[in-house]
Amino acid sequence: MFSNKTGNEDAKKLLIEKSKAFNVNLVEVNGLENLNKYGAVFFLDFDETKLSVKENSILVSFFKNGGGVIGSFDIQGSNSKRIWFEQIFGKVENKIPERKELDLIPVQDLGDIGLSPLWKMPSVEVIHPIVPKYLKPVLMSLEGKAISWIGVSEFANKVFYTSLKIDMQSLQNQDFLKSLIGGVKSVVSLKNESKIEQNVLPETSEFRILNIAKDFHQGIVLEYFSPIYCLILTEKGELFNYITLSKELISLGLFDSLKNAVDITADPEFESNGYFYFYFGEDKAVVKRVKMLNSQKAEMDDFSLESSFPIKNVFLCKKDSTNVGMPKYYQGKQFSLSKVGEIEVASLNNNQEVIDIEPFVLFKKEDSLQAIAQKENGEMLVLMKDSLNLVQFRGDNGFPPFVAFTFKILSLKAPFKVEFEAIVEERFDLEWEILGKKLIGKKATQVFKTSGEYPINLKASNKNGQTDFITKTVKIEKASIVK
């Protein structure tokens, strides 16, 4: 039983005591941290607008995993903040409850608890809510109005709701008490029948933000396609490609005709044709096209047409074993960037419809976020005005590596002696591949007989299987230090 506003404490104690006679264990809690230990949550003296982000996340996770829910009387507020709450309980129709005498008929005896076919409630407070269509009446008045409902929500969990007020007087009515307890018993997920797992909102300390590119100004659009292609466009029309495989930011040039573009998408057949599409305008989009000749060179195409806009800055966080970049809590949810520059996370039902929206634990609108994207491993890329950032999740094995290297040419002429040094945390094992040779350690030295361009591979790994790679072509020609 969870309450977060002032109510009738004597009525709660009486309900808890009376429920024991029906083998129902109602436990009043002050927080939701251990909600997964229970089969259902009973909202009594409850205000949904007072839920914290963490409490809301715990509830959504609980419901999606089959946890039952019970509500009563006036828990529907007129200013609901949560999509899921209105979808489960509906909304209130009359803000001022009625006090009246009711003759009640059970449409269904929930839990076969032994209800009378007709009983009176001499003086009881009742409201008239507009409930979702999935809720089916189980108790009605002689006037033909539904009083209590039960059903399976869009979360696929069970819901019971009664519009009667639970107070000292109503709890003295044995038939009402039976109908209420029958509803509770009908929605509780028994431990041997359910898999209620608490999926806890992660803390900010479980993430880190790495600045991976910053040699541009006023970035406005981001499109991640592969480890070879991650396009960044600036306000002035400067186009860059960040190659995650080599961790290099490549300037593709200034394209005046790309100024004011609002989005980029890759052609479905990009691998064969190399096209990226740039969108302009507000209502109808004007589309222009750029052809990537390779990862370091692009040219404008004379292609132009009108089209509808793509869905900007939205991705579905993958829910499979390859997603090591986001905690389980966020997997299967939809990420988007709001108009005010905040990352919003939406929970979806089985029909991929939004049932809840919450803020991501990192970043605020003051951070000037411009765009977001997702890598193959689930890690998120975040574009700010003057930097591209990588969001990494710590997980059970700690943060994954992010490896780069510098090199120093020690010889003025051939043969060239070159010293390479990895940039990564100390706890990772390092393996170089240079000229077909494998070298181990943070530093590696190699002699090149002639000047030229040579591919260098570096792998960082640990015993837990966390790895990162960098494959970069370096130019060897004279003594220098290069990052």
Side-chain angles (χ1 to χ4, degrees):
M1 184 184 295
F2 180 64
S3 304
N4 61 2
K5 70 177 183 180
T6 304
N8 190 328
E9 296 301 319
D10 290 334
K12 288 181 193 174
K13 292 177 182 177
L14 181 61
L15 177 58
I16 290 171
E17 188 60 34
K18 284 182 173 288
S19 67
K20 294 177 181 177
F22 299 91
N23 294 318
V24 172
N25 184 23
L26 285 178
V27 179
E28 186 174 8
V29 297
N30 296 317
L32 297 172
E33 291 79 10
N34 297 313
L35 185 58
N36 62 316
K37 294 181 179 179
Y38 300 93
V41 58
F42 193 148
F43 293 128
L44 187 61
D45 299 326
F46 175 76
D47 183 349
E48 170 267 335
T49 63
K50 292 183 178 180
L51 286 173
S52 68
V53 172
K54 187 171 184 177
E55 288 173 334
N56 180 74
S57 70
I58 291 172
L59 286 169
V60 171
S61 175
F62 181 73
F63 299 148
K64 290 187 77 172
N65 280 285
V69 57
I70 304 105
S72 66
F73 196 49
D74 62 348
I75 62 169
Q76 302 103 324
S78 57
N79 298 308
S80 179
K81 294 167 61 179
R82 317 287 179 182
I83 297 172
W84 65 263
F85 191 79
E86 188 171 312
Q87 287 178 334
I88 285 182
F89 293 115
K91 57 185 178 181
V92 68
E93 189 177 52
N94 60 324
K95 295 181 182 179
I96 301 176
E98 288 185 74
R99 180 175 284 278
K100 60 193 298 186
E101 180 178 299
L102 288 174
D103 294 312
L104 298 173
I105 305 169
V107 178
Q108 184 180 347
D109 186 357
L110 297 175
D112 297 322
I113 210 159
L115 293 178
S116 303
L118 172 67
W119 77 84
K120 287 184 180 293
M121 297 283 285
S123 179
V124 64
E125 286 190 71
V126 62
I127 64 165
H128 301 296
I130 301 172
V131 301
K133 291 181 179 179
Y134 75 84
L135 286 177
K136 305 301 179 185
V138 291
L139 184 64
M140 299 188 73
S141 69
L142 284 181
E143 299 171 347
K145 286 193 172 183
I147 300 298
S148 299
W149 299 260
I150 194 167
V152 177
S153 79
E154 295 186 30
F155 287 97
N157 70 325
K158 294 180 181 178
V159 179
F160 175 78
Y161 171 73
T162 180
S163 61
L164 296 174
K165 186 173 184 179
I166 298 174
D167 56 19
M168 296 296 289
Q169 185 171 347
S170 63
L171 289 175
Q172 299 300 333
N173 187 300
Q174 188 68 4
D175 283 305
F176 170 67
L177 178 63
K178 284 183 178 180
S179 71
L180 177 62
I181 297 298
V184 172
K185 295 181 78 170
S186 296
V187 303
V188 169
S189 296
L190 301 177
K191 290 299 180 183
N192 60 351
E193 296 179 354
S194 65
K195 295 180 180 179
I196 298 179
E197 300 176 1
Q198 189 163 354
N199 203 356
V200 181
L201 178 72
E203 302 289 340
T204 56
S205 59
E206 296 179 70
F207 296 90
R208 70 176 178 182
I209 304 169
L210 302 178
N211 186 314
I212 57 176
K214 58 184 179 180
D215 292 329
F216 59 87
H217 300 288
Q218 300 299 314
I220 55 173
V221 186
L222 172 71
E223 171 69 3
Y224 179 85
F225 179 75
S226 72
I228 305 297
Y229 293 100
C230 177
L231 296 193
I232 299 169
L233 181 69
T234 70
E235 284 185 357
K236 292 182 178 180
E238 294 173 293
L239 190 60
F240 294 87
N241 182 28
Y242 179 76
I243 306 173
T244 59
L245 191 61
S246 62
K247 299 179 173 66
E248 295 176 286
L249 183 68
I250 306 298
S251 174
L252 300 174
L254 178 64
F255 297 82
D256 287 333
S257 59
L258 296 183
K259 287 181 182 178
N260 303 316
V262 296
D263 203 6
I264 309 172
T265 62
D267 190 286
E269 298 181 0
F270 174 82
E271 294 287 3
S272 59
N273 61 32
Y275 290 133
F276 277 106
Y277 298 95
F278 293 73
Y279 295 79
F280 303 78
E282 295 180 0
D283 299 327
K284 271 286 187 181
V286 173
V287 184
K288 297 180 181 179
R289 191 166 69 183
V290 166
K291 183 176 179 63
M292 298 298 301
L293 302 178
N294 54 49
S295 63
Q296 303 191 28
K297 191 173 182 180
E299 64 180 18
M300 283 297 303
D301 192 283
D302 58 4
F303 172 92
S304 181
L305 58 75
E306 284 193 359
S307 172
S308 58
F309 277 104
I311 301 175
K312 183 181 179 183
N313 288 314
V314 176
F315 65 81
L316 189 65
C317 190
K318 297 191 300 181
K319 190 176 183 180
D320 58 40
S321 59
T322 65
N323 190 347
V324 295
M326 275 290 171
K328 185 178 178 183
Y329 176 81
Y330 284 124
Q331 294 180 19
K333 296 186 179 183
Q334 181 177 280
F335 281 66
S336 61
L337 190 64
S338 72
K339 291 182 178 179
V340 296
E342 293 179 309
I343 299 176
E344 296 180 334
V345 185
S347 296
L348 309 175
N349 62 16
N350 292 334
N351 296 322
Q352 298 300 293
E353 297 167 331
V354 175
I355 52 179
D356 184 52
I357 296 177
E358 61 185 288
F360 184 52
V361 294
L362 298 179
F363 304 108
K364 296 181 176 62
K365 60 183 178 182
E366 295 82 13
D367 293 323
S368 301
L369 306 189
Q370 302 298 305
I372 58 175
Q374 183 184 38
K375 292 175 58 184
E376 295 86 354
N377 65 354
E379 291 178 336
M380 182 163 59
L381 292 167
V382 178
L383 178 67
M384 297 184 183
K385 287 186 176 180
D386 298 320
S387 65
L388 179 64
N389 302 274
L390 178 68
V391 176
Q392 288 191 320
F393 173 58
R394 183 173 61 199
D396 296 334
N397 298 321
F399 287 112
F402 184 83
V403 65
F405 66 82
T406 61
F407 65 96
K408 183 189 299 184
I409 302 174
L410 304 176
S411 307
L412 294 175
K413 60 181 181 179
F416 297 99
K417 185 179 181 180
V418 181
E419 181 181 85
F420 297 87
E421 182 172 3
I423 303 172
V424 71
E425 300 97 324
E426 294 292 337
R427 60 191 178 92
F428 291 96
D429 298 323
L430 298 163
E431 181 180 284
W432 302 81
E433 185 177 339
I434 307 172
L435 296 179
K437 297 179 182 178
K438 293 190 182 298
L439 305 170
I440 303 299
K442 188 172 184 179
K443 291 184 178 181
T445 302
Q446 179 64 46
V447 175
F448 297 85
K449 293 181 179 180
T450 61
S451 62
E453 294 184 348
Y454 297 90
I456 308 297
N457 297 317
L458 173 60
K459 176 183 176 181
S461 60
N462 64 11
K463 61 182 180 181
N464 296 316
Q466 292 174 299
T467 61
D468 188 35
F469 302 85
I470 179 170
T471 298
K472 186 176 180 179
T473 298
V474 300
K475 190 173 185 179
I476 306 298
E477 55 183 358
K478 60 182 179 179
S480 63
I481 300 176
V482 183
K483 292 185 178 181

